[in-house]
Amino acid sequence: MGSSSSVEKKVETTGKEERGGVPKRARKRKVEEYASDPLSGSYKSDDGKVELRLDVDKVAPYWPVLNAASGDIRRDNGDLVSFQCRSLRSESNTTTFKGTAKMWRDEDVKSRAVRSAKVTIEAKQLQGKWTAHVTIQQKGYPEDMVFDCKRYSKYFRSVNLDVDYCTDTLQLPKFDTHSHPTRPFDLPQRILDLVTIFGDIGIEMVHNTENSSKVEDPDPSNPWSLSELKDVMKIHQNVNQNQWNLWVLLANKYRDPRSAGLMFDKKNRKGCVLFLDHPWFRGISDETPNPKAMRKFLHTLVHEIGHAFNLPHTFESGNQSSLSFMNYDWKYNEIHEPNAYFRNFHYTFDNAEVMCLRHGRSCWVEPGASRWGAGLPIISAPPDADSDDPHFTKLKLDVKPTKSSYSQMEPVFVELRIKNTHKRPIYLDTRLDLESHNTKIFVTTPDGRVLEVEPTTNHIIPPFIQGLYPEGSEEGPDRVSDVIPLVYGEDGFYFCSPGKYHIKAVYRSGEYYVTSEEIELSVEKVENTEILKVFFTDVMGEYIEMGGSEDSTYDACRELLNKLAGSDEYSPWADMLTSMTCQYKKKPRSVMRTGDNKRVKVSIQESSLETTLSRTQKLVDNLHANGTPRQSILYKKSVMQRAEIFIALGQAEKAEVEVKMMLNDLKERKVKFFVIQWIEDEWMKLKGESSPKTQQEIIQERVNEIVTWYTEDFDKEEEINEESGLGHSTIFSHFNRRHTSSRDDLVYKIMAKADDEDDIVSVLEYADSLQKTRQYNLSVVQDALLIFIVHHPLAKEAGIHFPEFPGAPEMDLSTSAISLTPDGPADESTMNYFRNDWDFCFHHSHWHRVYFGGKIPTSKETYTYLDRQGELFGYMHKQMLARYNAERESWGLEKAVAYDFSEVEPLGCDLGKQFHDHSENGRFHPRPARVQWRSADFTRFQKFENNIYEAIRNGELTFTPDENGLGQLKIEKIPLDLEEDVAAEGYEPRSGSMNWMGNILEATTQTFNKTYGNMHNEGHGIFGSTRSGSSYMHTTSHAVRDNIFYRWHTRIDDILHAFSGTRKTELNKDPPPVIISEWDIIISTSEDQPQGFDKWNKTTGWEQNFDSDTMQTTLGEPKKKFEFLKMSHKPFSYHIRLRRIDGSVNTPLPLTLRIFICPAKHVNDRRRWIEMDKFRFILGKDQDHATLTRQDRHSSVIRRNPNDSADDFEIAITKKVSGFCECGWPYNMMLPRGQNENGGEDYALMVFATDNKLDTLDVRSECGSLSYCGAKGMKYPDRRTMGYPFTTPITIGGKIVSINQAAQMLSNMGMTNFKIQNNVRIELDSPPDESVVRPTTVWQARTQLHLTTEAEYKPSSWTGRFRILIRGEMIESDDDIKHIRIRFQGRVKGNGDYKVRDMTLSERGDSLNLRNENILEVTVDGQTSFAIPESGRYSDILSFELEPEVDYFLTFLLDSPSCYVSPATSGEAVTWRIKDADGDAAVSQDWNALKEQGKISHTRSSLYAIQRILGAGENWQ
């Protein structure tokens, strides 16, 4: 037959899931290759009693072929026989198929196949239609089953879809598979919707839009409740009796805002709801729908409809790696990597699911006809708790009933608690409710049945990843708890019979899988059997499970519960049921329902707010009077629900009283402090009181915490298993190619996390988890996170900026800045102020995070390389050298000399104790003096350099394969004399010759080649490696502090200068018709133009000339950490005049004005010119002249502040673009220092006008430097070479001229002179007054804890009575110390005060006890009870001599949490605490006895509140 050739052979499977559930062979075939006349589909006998589903050839382009058959046969006696053949074979490529089938002989979902049978199907065409003759031979049956069927549909099932909606118009998902960049590389472009997706697997989805109704809702902002949704669902089912009907409601939002959608119940699964106000779906209604939101809309709706067909989650059957619609993307990503699911998802179901949907028994597939997963395997029994797997042993899961004994009908609640028992933090999804699908609870009844607790509604809720910390850690809680009601579910009431019950729970998420111990509880018999009969019904169970309903169906339920609540016998637990069934709502909703020729208007009304308060009052009263610690979470939930209602009724004061009552009760019941704090925070949010910090401030603080976290605590196994390959003991280097390659991999993981979740908090917690779990080297994590912050749109949306830690002005300069530079003859140390300027160091560090060498996102999930990185690398560092050399010469020092490979470097670099003692710098070491490179390095670098110079001479770069495999270049040669950009396979974007030179000198992973090496980066690595460890040159954060940096970069710049010297810049090629003379430009300390500056005479031109002002610079006291002095200047402006050349009027003249300065004596040295600004200016079509003023704060080279942009004239004539806001040269160093002598140092000022139409410089970023970092998401906004016109030698008419000559010859170049005067000198402090003895530090917390860095205190959560050990061996004192003062550390800005009382200082006695002969009372302002502000505080002066080698105790009580400091590794115990500060133990002096009784806890790793002790002699000051 004509169609026989189209029949596909059986696809053998291995049992392992193919990606997306489509066999590889089918996926690799061209999509056009499907049967022109397929025989697959549904067949039916003439009498309608036989249904056959034949699946042997491809019906549509994306149709998987399963080579299977199934059918249903209704016998004459009414019995139903079903068969399923999963492996059909065709005979000799004909249309006859044979196989072995399983048989079922009834409609019971739980029944097992009774026997197997042989099936033969002969397909033929009669009158142009396919028919099938089927023979079923059953062993043991004398007669075969034989029947004939006709093909009536290409589909295997057909379902009617009814959609109602709350939005303005009905919208169903429609997704272009190529609209989103995160996708499989082989995913074909298609438009997907419900019809195509289910059509691909043979399910016909029939949707009649006429049956869709808009929900009439007087208050669309009011969230839906479960009872409302179930009422509407019930009505839909009553009106529409067809078994193969599905109903979808597209609602606005649910009462729990976390819920994105829900499936109604497992017993009658006929419909689902999506809540389109959920963040997942924002943007689906935009004019151009958001692709990510539309993808999620489609995935979620298909997922829920899959549940309606009784499909379970794939992870419930143990397959968390499934790429099916029935998996959650985050479940897949948990065990792979962020965003991995959609990078591999082919928008289909897996093979087992397709087999079930096509060929499963009808009772398995029909919506709501069977239990969840009836046709697929699912884990339904608890595993054993014992396991050697470390992922099991890191966590402990506990189940605790709120009571040990219950009465029949009494609702059972259990507390689930998961606790970290590991020594490291664990980050996991901490949702314990059953809707999370992380947790399963199993109940063993008195008669031995094992029931899984399954709620009647299943929500889809995003994960909540949270860190659980080791026990006793101050970083956060070690556990999380939730209270779960166990009342009614899939199997009815769980505790309906009296007797002993056993409960066990399982938690499984990601790599963690843990089982609880089994607990026992008893249920006592209730004698009133009549009440029991009424109570234990499905109607009552549904009523309780949905949280109550005002529907008349449940009138008897409400009546019974009210009766029980009013009875002394059943109260107070009956009050709990009343509380559980009082969902509330403000206004009714109504919807038109259509079905079976009926159209019904339905109104849904719930109980009022006042009714809800009335029904819950007795419960709260009972929890207040008789509640136990086990009921704390239940108590909190009840009170906070009522508080929300009180506020809705305008009765916030009643809510305040009830919440405070609850908090006081919980404190008395010794609930943990962090739980109290959590409830207080929730209450603050509920009543709308703003936090002292904005969300942006909180997020920024979190960023700062993550990127400054430090530890040296890691074990051997963690060192070996560290995922970047560096290990934990290695210091990350920005100049090591292996290091940066590993860093770049992590950058993309973090960015993928952001693309996946669109939640900045989740991204930050993910990054923090990677370092604190010791999964990655902390420096790799922190650098990757900084790059994410610089580049990813999500970070910008959150308002995060690149972290800064200036430490001023709040911080004492003595601890935040390095000692001032002394007066005297200038030497190398004189330049410390320049090299250590904090803003300058920040500029260099930040620039290298912007241009880190990898792809960056141009928008969310779209990545590309930054334009002209190599060229900008050379230019930015060239400008640094120009400024550095100008500064050196202002002191009379020689300019930086290029480092010689063979020299013995004489100076070294040591930034001093203050620098190295700080926590940010503890891993760095001084670079020693008199060190020479190894001969092997000398030889290697000389070879690289020679090869580069040879390439310059030959005019081309020649590449050879990179043997170590890190390089990506596949090009052989690149000419160096072409103006056009050159492309290389494996490298984007296209690059010009100047860019290639920068790329080979600062070779990233993608541009490295062994011929030319990686001179810049590897040179940094050599200088940064010392015998003691890593030095400053190892990192971009500190490299510029080292004097060798400038000598090394001079050598690099010499190469670039040699290359640029081989090219020429012709300045007479395209000059704009404009004149700027030396008298037309001045630099002034006034923003106002001099009077008469703009006076113009048409005949003679400008009427008056003016001189520039002398620029004023200052060297002031340091302002930020690790500075010596701080450069600054008086604000200045440029005033510029320009005029057209005759004949150029009547057309607008767009110009680019480029401003440079240079020491006057070096004007002909193009390396010494300093770019100050470049900007766009337009001379109007009717203008023949113009004047303009440009302020210094608008400069394109500085880190421009967006608050300074309002008066910038460029705004009106440029397009606004997004910039790198933290990028740019520091404003305070905009002018070189100059000199004080002779009225200042002579400088040249140049303004050069170029044709803006050719430059294409028509954009402006409101912040950051356009010159140094360009603009986000676009090419570098100036087509000229960077530094133009000084990049190369200058020619005019083909002849090389000096810069001075060019200024005289060109009308569009003006040059004038001005002076820079440094008129403030720093004087040394006056000699100290010898009569005054100043205090010195005699003891420090960080020294006692063996911290080598300036450890930072963190807010604590502990209260109680403390005893702090002041170890004698750590006391540095002498006989002159007669008095002491104690310095208390504050809780850090934004965390508030804390209170200390009853502090004493005494010599240590036996173990934890005191010597009683000399106990000194510590006071502040004469008080024994005092508050410590955020900034910290000193005690009063105490007359007490601390003796070295003698141990002391500080004992005190904290009424509120203070702060603590932790070392990198744990040592001996230094802090002891009595938790119950008001109990008998707190007043006892025998702490040794208390320790034996277990009433004292201690910590080896933390010391609380006390920062240091100062000592002085008699004359304290």
Side-chain angles (χ1 to χ4, degrees), residues 155-328:
Y155 297 105
F156 302 104
R157 320 273 187 186
S158 182
V159 180
N160 295 316
L161 180 66
D162 187 4
V163 183
D164 292 331
Y165 55 98
C166 298
T167 51
D168 292 337
T169 58
L170 173 64
Q171 182 180 15
L172 288 171
K174 191 176 290 288
F175 177 64
D176 180 346
T177 57
H178 280 206
S179 64
H180 197 283
T182 301
R183 61 178 183 265
F185 73 93
D186 59 346
L187 182 69
Q189 184 169 13
R190 305 173 64 197
I191 304 298
L192 296 179
D193 55 20
L194 295 178
V195 173
T196 57
I197 285 173
F198 283 98
D200 283 349
I201 58 171
I203 306 294
E204 182 182 24
M205 194 68 67
V206 181
H207 175 226
N208 185 352
T209 56
E210 294 181 358
N211 289 339
S212 294
S213 298
K214 185 179 187 303
V215 176
E216 298 175 12
D217 192 345
D219 186 5
S221 64
N222 193 31
W224 286 77
S225 70
L226 183 58
S227 59
E228 285 182 292
L229 294 170
K230 285 202 171 184
D231 288 346
V232 176
M233 177 65 190
K234 181 182 69 173
I235 294 159
H236 163 79
Q237 290 172 295
N238 291 339
V239 173
N240 297 278
Q241 300 297 325
N242 190 313
Q243 292 178 317
W244 292 89
N245 261 344
L246 280 177
W247 178 65
V248 173
L249 175 62
L250 301 178
N252 42 26
K253 57 185 174 183
Y254 187 61
R255 184 159 292 162
D256 181 348
R258 300 175 304 160
S259 180
L262 60 85
M263 172 56 57
F264 279 101
D265 61 71
K266 296 186 176 183
K267 284 190 171 182
N268 204 359
R269 201 171 299 104
K270 291 281 189 178
C272 60
V273 181
L274 260 61
F275 303 109
L276 300 188
D277 278 359
H278 193 276
W280 279 356
F281 310 126
R282 288 174 188 163
I284 61 172
S285 300
D286 293 350
E287 185 175 349
T288 301
N290 180 293
K292 183 173 182 178
M294 188 59 74
R295 181 183 69 183
K296 199 69 174 177
F297 185 20
L298 177 74
H299 185 278
T300 306
L301 188 52
V302 173
H303 177 97
E304 294 302 308
I305 291 176
H307 285 323
F309 288 124
N310 309 313
L311 295 179
H313 296 110
T314 56
F315 54 81
E316 290 186 277
S317 58
N319 187 7
Q320 197 168 331
S321 285
S322 171
L323 285 162
S324 160
F325 274 111
M326 300 315 296
N327 201 358
Y328 290 150

Side-chain angles (χ1 to χ4, degrees), residues 337-338 722-724 732 738-754 763 766-771 775-788 852 863:
E337 60 183 31
E722 192 275 331
E723 290 194 18
S724 74
F732 171 78
R738 186 169 64 89
H739 292 197
T740 55
S741 178
S742 298
R743 187 265 326 267
D744 293 351
D745 290 342
L746 186 55
V747 167
Y748 296 123
K749 283 187 179 181
I750 294 175
M751 289 187 176
K753 182 74 172 177
V763 175
Y766 172 70
D768 198 30
S769 71
L770 297 178
Q771 62 179 357
Q775 186 175 345
Y776 274 86
N777 179 300
L778 63 90
S779 298
V780 175
V781 173
Q782 292 168 11
D783 205 65
L785 183 61
L786 290 175
I787 291 172
F788 162 80
F852 72 103
Y863 293 80

Side-chain angles (χ1 to χ4, degrees), residues 1-7 35-39 57 95 125 130:
M1 292 185 181
S3 64
S4 63
S5 61
S6 68
V7 178
S36 58
D37 187 13
L39 54 90
D57 59 357
T95 55
Q125 277 194 329
W130 285 104

